Every structure is written in C-alpha cells, then in structure tokens.
Amino acid sequence: MSKKDFYETLGIAKGASDSDIKKAYRKKAMKYHPDKYENASVKEKDVAEHKFKEVNDAYQVLSDGKKKSKYDRFGHDVFSQGGGAGAGGFGDFGGGGFEDTFGSFFGGGHGSHIEPGADLRYTVEITLEEAAKGVEKDVKYYRKGECHTCDGTGAKPGSKLKTCSRCNGNGRIKEIQRTMFGNFENVVECDVCHGSGKVPEKKCSKCHGTGIEKEKVEKNVKIPAGIDDGQRLRLGGMGEASENGGPNGDLYLFINVKEHAIFERHDSDLVCEVPISYTKAVVGGDIQIPTLDGAIKIKIPEGTQTGKVFRLRGKGMPSTRGGRIGDELVKVVVETPTKLNLDQKKLLQAFEDSLKDKNTGMKKGFFDKLKDLFK
C-alpha cells in the first residue's frame, strides 16, 4: 500500500464529500490509465503504472466509509498493525499489490469490482480531398452519461452512500451451481450495487439511483491528414459512463473515405487513368492532368503507347506518421478514333503506306494536317 497521503494523491482536501472523491478518482484514473501509454517509453509506462496504483489505493480507502474513518484517525499506521482486519488493518485488500489494484479495472482483483463504461462506435464519412489535407468534423451522438443531479452517485442530493447489504461492500457475490458432478462456486458481480459495493441511502429522483442519464454529446474532432479508409481514432473517456464508479468508456471513430470519381488509393500513392488522342500519342504534346491540388500540365513524348505510366512525385497522399508524401501514377489510354470521314481515312491510309515504304517520305506539313483533322 502506498505511503503517500491519499487525499494528496487524489488532489482533494480532507473532509471531501463522496461525490468529490469519486470525481477526483475518475479524473486521475483516466489520466494514468495504461491504455493511454501503449506507445510510450518503458520509463513513462512505469511512472504511469505507479501513479495508477497510487490512485486506486487511495480510492479503495477513501470511498469506503469504515476504511476512510480508520485512515483519518490513524493514517498509514493502520497498515502495520498485524495486517488483518481484526487488528485494525484492511484484510480484504488481498495484499494491495499492483496486480490486485490494476485487475479490479478489468474484472480481476479483490474488493469492489470497478468496470469502465461501455465503448461506443461512430462512423465518420470524409472525401479523399479531406483525407489528404486533414479536416475537422462535428461529431454528435447520444450516450449514457453521469447524472448531473447527483453527480453520478445515484444518491439524492444531501444524502449519502451506504455499504451494500447484499455483498457487504465487496461488489461480488458467490453463487452455487448444483450439477450432477457436485456443487460449483462462482463469483459474480453483485446484482444490487453492480460491483461498486455501495448503494444510496436515498435514490436520486432524476436517475432513480443508477447515477446514469442519457445525454447528447457534441464534439469537434480533428481528422489527421493521410488517414485511410477503415482506420479508426480512439477518443479516451468519450464513451458511456460506468454504472459503478469506474472511468468512462472510449469512443472509436471509424473512418469511411468516399469513393473518388478519378483516383484510386494504393497506400500513399494515387492512381488514375487519363485518355489521350491518337494524334497526341503519335506526335506528342502537352496535356492537362488532374491532381488533388488542381490540374497541371505535363508533356507527352511522341510515340506514347497506351498503358504508359507517368509518375508525379509528391502528388499522392501524406502519411499519418509524417515523412514522405506519396506519388500520383498517371496511366494514359490512347483513344482510337471512330466514325472517320473520307479525308481522314485517306490521310491515315497514306500515313500507313508511308511506314511500309521506307523510301517514301511524307510530304511537308502532313502531321500538321493530321492534327487538324483529328482535333
């Protein structure tokens, strides 16, 4: 058990109300929750783990009327009086190690069973242009939130919480299942206090003692540049409130990038097809190419074949991790002319004949005439 003053750990004054203790605990628990340090350094993870343990140790005592009373009278000395409850200690802490404290968040450990609220899913639809530049979106949804009348305690304002008589404050009850092979004992969440170990003396009239009410949430969310279809963003603590004093669940934003009329995305590269005329493929020239930043001009060399791919450096998608921007890959498709008039057919036939006979040169101005006919 941590030797640091429990009130100092939660950042509250001695004599704080049950509601203030609960609010302070939620704030600190969310701040040091291990999920927030998944990508942190080993040192940062160790510090957060230690802080998270201290916060849970403090809440285990200050949220329990009897333990809090003993702590206020004797301080940490109460832990060195033999260790058992009969000697004035807290025998139901199960040793007070990090595994017990941390496990209580996810269903393990001893004492009250503190579960976080449910996670929520929300789909955000954006365009490819928005994915390339990054965008802010207003997210609106409904969730189970903390009752504003009782601050989530479930107790009528002015009344207090009391130890649950069903589970004696443990948050768990034992069930006996009788089978042909004998009786099996199973420990489950208390169906009266929902694992918190406490119930209101008088129920809040707004939430009827649940501590929960439906609320509408509106939040402006920044979608980072480079995000891809199917990726998700996690907003910690933006999910539903817990029904037994734990932290809120999380909100997961699933990104849906609309199909683009021109571009297909391949990782950080963009791919598109651009048609060019038969004459342009033969004699070459400039053409307009679409990009996410607007049309640009590139030069097509003479004799370009259909399927030729031109790479435009840095015209693709950025990476969400920073660094190199992808490229745009432009595949040209030569359009074969149809419904030719007599002059056009004669001109093309003369062109084909000239290719067969290497000794026959093309008359001056032939290609200019060819381009004029196929404009």
Side-chain angles (χ1 to χ4, degrees):
M1 184 66 65
S2 170
K3 294 293 184 180
K4 188 175 180 180
D5 181 80
F6 289 151
Y7 291 101
E8 181 182 343
T9 297
L10 295 184
I12 55 178
K14 191 172 182 179
S17 66
D18 289 343
S19 176
D20 289 336
I21 292 171
K22 188 175 183 180
K23 281 184 177 179
Y25 164 71
R26 286 182 173 179
K27 184 177 180 180
K28 294 285 186 179
M30 288 179 64
K31 181 178 180 181
Y32 298 114
H33 197 283
D35 284 352
K36 296 185 68 174
Y37 294 85
E38 290 178 354
N39 301 318
S41 66
V42 174
K43 183 178 180 180
E44 289 175 322
K45 285 183 179 180
D46 289 343
V47 171
E49 180 178 307
H50 179 71
K51 292 285 189 183
F52 190 69
K53 176 184 179 300
E54 286 186 337
V55 168
N56 276 277
D57 284 347
Y59 184 69
Q60 290 273 12
V61 174
L62 299 184
S63 63
D64 186 288
K66 291 182 180 179
K67 296 174 185 176
K68 180 174 177 291
S69 177
K70 288 182 179 181
Y71 178 75
D72 288 344
R73 292 177 63 191
F74 303 108
H76 283 89
D77 290 341
V78 75
F79 300 118
S80 58
Q81 297 179 14
F90 299 101
D92 59 342
F93 259 70
F98 179 75
E99 293 295 333
D100 298 308
T101 305
F102 184 73
S104 68
F105 240 90
F106 302 98
H110 304 273
S112 297
H113 183 57
I114 305 174
E115 286 279 4
D119 294 334
L120 295 176
R121 171 176 178 152
Y122 188 97
T123 300
V124 178
E125 190 173 66
I126 61 175
T127 65
L128 185 64
E129 287 82 1
E130 290 174 332
K133 302 294 183 182
V135 67
E136 293 187 12
K137 290 287 184 179
D138 290 326
V139 173
K140 300 178 182 179
Y141 62 100
Y142 287 92
R143 69 177 181 185
K144 292 180 181 178
E146 184 181 272
C147 175
H148 298 295
T149 301
C150 65
D151 294 324
T153 65
K156 181 179 179 180
S159 65
K160 297 181 180 180
L161 296 173
K162 63 180 181 179
T163 301
C164 176
S165 58
R166 169 85 161 137
C167 64
N168 294 320
N170 290 318
R172 301 284 189 95
I173 56 175
K174 293 180 181 179
E175 289 185 343
I176 304 298
Q177 184 178 5
R178 292 178 173 82
T179 71
M180 60 183 294
F181 301 104
N183 295 338
F184 291 90
E185 185 178 278
N186 188 31
V187 179
V188 297
E189 181 183 274
C190 177
D191 57 345
V192 174
C193 66
H194 303 292
S196 68
K198 292 189 174 185
V199 293
E201 289 180 341
K202 296 180 180 179
K203 292 183 179 180
C204 171
S205 59
K206 177 70 174 179
C207 65
H208 306 292
T210 64
I212 301 295
E213 67 175 339
K214 190 175 183 180
E215 65 178 357
K216 184 178 181 180
V217 180
E218 298 184 12
K219 184 174 179 62
N220 183 262
V221 178
K222 291 184 179 180
I223 310 296
I227 198 163
D228 204 351
D229 183 62
Q231 287 188 311
R232 69 180 190 179
L233 300 175
R234 174 179 167 272
L235 303 182
M238 293 301 296
E240 295 196 328
S242 170
E243 295 186 3
N244 60 5
N248 279 28
D250 299 327
L251 174 66
Y252 288 91
L253 300 183
F254 283 75
I255 305 302
N256 178 22
V257 181
K258 296 179 184 178
E259 184 176 343
H260 200 273
I262 297 174
F263 297 107
E264 288 186 6
R265 181 173 179 175
H266 296 267
D267 294 327
S268 293
D269 293 334
L270 294 177
V271 179
C272 70
E273 287 188 355
V274 175
I276 62 173
S277 67
Y278 178 77
T279 307
K280 190 75 70 175
V282 173
V283 301
D286 294 334
I287 62 171
Q288 294 286 327
I289 298 294
T291 74
L292 290 180
D293 297 319
I296 63 172
K297 186 184 294 185
I298 68 170
K299 186 174 183 62
I300 297 294
E302 64 180 52
T304 294
Q305 303 296 309
T306 191
K308 170 71 175 177
V309 175
F310 296 89
R311 182 180 292 270
L312 306 182
R313 300 286 182 185
K315 292 297 182 181
M317 300 291 290
S319 169
T320 54
R321 297 180 295 273
R324 175 184 174 273
I325 297 178
D327 302 328
E328 181 178 327
L329 305 177
V330 182
K331 179 182 178 182
V332 297
V333 178
V334 179
E335 293 183 317
T336 303
T338 59
K339 297 181 180 180
L340 302 179
N341 59 39
L342 184 60
D343 289 337
Q344 290 170 332
K345 290 178 180 179
K346 288 181 178 179
L347 202 57
L348 283 176
Q349 187 61 54
F351 174 61
E352 184 178 352
D353 292 341
S354 71
L355 295 177
K356 293 177 181 178
D357 188 355
K358 294 183 180 180
N359 296 321
T360 303
M362 298 301 298
K363 292 182 180 179
K364 187 177 180 180
F366 177 84
F367 281 113
D368 291 335
K369 189 173 184 181
L370 185 67
K371 287 197 284 188
D372 290 338
L373 282 172
F374 289 100
K375 278 185 178 179

